[in-house]
Amino acid sequence: MSKYIGILTSGGDTPGLNAAIRGIGKAALKKYGMHVVGFRDGFRGLMENRTMSLDGNSLSGILTIGGTILGTSRHKPNKMPVGGKILDMTDVIVENYQKRSLDALVCLGGGGTQKNAYHLFKNGLNIITLPKTIDNDVSMTDITFGFDTALGIAVDAIDRLHSTAHSHHRIIVVEIMGHRAGWLALGAGISGGADVILIPEIPYDLDSIADSILERKRSGKSFSIVAVAEGAISKEGSGKLEAAKQELEKTRSKNKKADIKAKLREIDDQYTGNTTLIAKELEALTGLESRLTILGHLQRGGTPSAADRLLATRLGTACTEYINEGTFGVMIAAKGEGTEAVPLDKVVGIRKTVPPDHPWIQSARSIGICMGD
Ligand code: F6P
């Protein structure tokens, strides 16, 4: 009997999502004779039973298109805004899945999606996931799709900023996405020839950065490119954040888990994303004019790179094999040339950050890039 599968995309969109939907859909239809339905706008659409048919026609011509044809949202099954309240809608979702007699549900997303998908798996759904995000911070996979495209966009931007920085003898600070991980800023900074790279994993000191820029000036280079991850944090900020976290830990038994989480997020926001300040301070410390460019959502837009199309297709098609053999509660990870089904409990709750001794960091230091410390 042919199987019925659902697909949804959740969290921030990334280039390559449509390539993945196409890979899953076409392999499911052509190789296994399965029926495929798409849920609109992530877990929200699953809860509201809003669907889109995924057949030969709708799966055609989407490989090169950015974003997701299904739409996405950041809504969580167990914390869904409904009628002005935040409600646990898990039961409604389980009911919708059953009403449609689904044999499997494929969830495409980053760290948050893996967690929400795992929640549904524990509530009895046959869940299988794929890792996508421009941040590359999902654990247990070599890489996530979307990262390579965003990397290319950020490198192209740094290339362009170089000529204007050079012409005006300026410092140009460029803010790069990546949430609380430094993969994107580090990769783009090295590939784009940045002189300073600041990532969340290595707290920075503005005086050291200013010294390295002045040293460049003394050697005849009157401009500098400073690539800053949006989650970068100063040494001072990192110390205060740690102290605030420890203080909150002491009250853990008295306060609700959600309140502590919200408070931590608030403190975190206070000390990260200070690129405007970085640009101003570096100008004051070096006497060199400085400008700030925030790349923002440009990094998530447009057509996926060839590497992302290939990765998304590879993971998408492998996913149908696992569905066919009945393997669920797993994320299909990229491992070398192949794929691996990693149990979701090994994926959720762990953010893959850049290890301080990572080869990319070693290479950056070897060629004289200032890492801010
Ligand atoms: O996770 C992808 C990402 O683009 C992060 O790099 C960024 O911090 C975040 O999403 C932005 O989210 P939103 O699009 O909801 O503003």
Side-chain angles (χ1 to χ4, degrees):
M1 235 179 51
S2 36
K3 290 191 159 104
Y4 284 77
I5 69 170
I7 306 178
L8 64 80
T9 55
S10 175
D13 67 325
T14 60
L17 275 170
N18 288 327
I21 294 168
R22 173 179 174 271
I24 303 163
K26 285 201 171 186
L29 297 174
K30 288 174 193 275
K31 192 168 173 195
Y32 298 107
M34 297 171 182
H35 301 274
V36 192
V37 66
F39 288 94
R40 294 183 187 273
D41 304 331
F43 296 107
R44 178 95 212 167
L46 178 58
M47 188 274 284
E48 293 172 345
N49 215 349
R50 287 188 288 116
T51 59
M52 169 181 179
S53 151
L54 292 175
D55 54 18
N57 275 338
S58 51
L59 291 167
S60 254
I62 62 169
L63 175 66
T64 59
I65 300 173
T68 159
I69 56 164
L70 292 175
T72 185
S73 72
R74 292 196 184 275
H75 290 189
K76 304 176 174 77
N78 58 341
K79 283 179 200 152
M80 188 90 60
V82 184
K85 289 186 184 152
I86 302 291
L87 300 177
D88 184 349
M89 302 304 281
T90 308
D91 288 351
V92 179
I93 285 178
V94 172
E95 211 177 293
N96 286 345
Y97 175 97
Q98 284 163 350
K99 266 195 231 152
R100 289 197 167 264
S101 307
L102 290 180
D103 294 293
L105 176 68
V106 190
C107 304
L108 280 54
T113 303
Q114 306 300 327
K115 193 173 168 195
N116 293 322
Y118 183 48
H119 168 77
L120 294 182
F121 174 66
K122 286 191 289 183
N123 277 273
L125 307 198
N126 288 340
I127 297 285
I128 190 158
T129 69
L130 297 191
K132 74 95 208 89
T133 165
I134 64 162
D135 305 336
N136 196 32
D137 62 353
V138 177
S139 65
M140 306 298 285
T141 181
D142 289 353
I143 191 162
T144 57
F145 59 87
F147 176 67
D148 183 73
T149 309
L151 187 62
I153 296 169
V155 171
D156 181 54
I158 297 176
D159 287 351
R160 288 168 195 279
L161 291 170
H162 251 107
S163 57
T164 174
H166 178 262
S167 306
H168 284 267
H169 316 293
R170 280 173 173 159
I171 297 171
I172 294 214
V173 175
V174 50
E175 185 189 294
I176 296 166
M177 274 188 173
H179 198 227
R180 296 293 179 262
W183 297 106
L184 203 50
L186 180 61
I190 295 173
S191 318
D195 308 296
V196 179
I197 303 175
L198 309 182
I199 59 172
E201 294 83 350
I202 304 177
Y204 62 82
D205 172 58
L206 280 171
D207 289 319
S208 308
I209 303 167
D211 283 350
S212 82
I213 291 173
L214 289 173
E215 181 57 42
R216 267 176 65 76
K217 185 149 194 284
R218 280 193 287 277
S219 71
K221 288 163 189 153
S222 60
F223 76 95
S224 287
I225 301 285
V226 183
V228 184
E230 63 180 348
I233 187 161
S234 68
K235 282 188 179 170
E236 193 195 346
S238 165
K240 286 187 180 159
L241 182 63
E242 231 7 84
K245 276 184 185 166
Q246 280 172 15
E247 203 46 44
L248 271 177
E249 274 303 321
K250 288 186 201 155
T251 62
R252 194 165 274 283
S253 53
K254 287 189 224 134
N255 293 313
K256 274 202 228 143
K257 208 172 151 194
D259 291 344
I260 292 188
K261 226 172 145 188
K263 187 77 197 151
L264 280 176
R265 197 167 305 132
E266 199 184 297
I267 303 170
D268 207 45
D269 286 347
Q270 209 178 316
Y271 295 115
T272 55
N274 289 321
T275 36
T276 312
L277 194 73
I278 293 175
K280 279 192 185 146
E281 292 274 317
L282 288 180
E283 181 166 298
L285 289 167
T286 61
L288 289 168
E289 206 176 17
S290 80
R291 291 288 186 272
L292 167 66
T293 299
I294 298 177
L295 298 182
H297 291 80
L298 272 178
Q299 295 157 106
R300 289 207 329 230
T303 189
S305 66
D308 272 337
R309 293 179 203 182
L310 191 56
L311 176 62
T313 305
R314 200 154 77 74
L315 296 179
T317 51
C319 168
T320 58
E321 288 171 34
Y322 290 104
I323 295 174
N324 191 51
E325 67 182 39
T327 304
F328 300 114
V330 293
M331 176 185 82
I332 309 307
K335 292 279 163 175
E337 296 289 293
T339 59
E340 195 180 300
V342 184
L344 281 171
D345 61 356
K346 294 207 160 59
V347 176
V348 299
I350 307 161
R351 179 179 297 137
K352 188 180 80 178
T353 52
V354 185
D357 59 346
H358 191 272
W360 290 5
I361 294 182
Q362 290 177 25
S363 296
R365 291 197 196 276
S366 302
I367 57 170
I369 295 176
C370 166
M371 294 301 300
D373 50 348

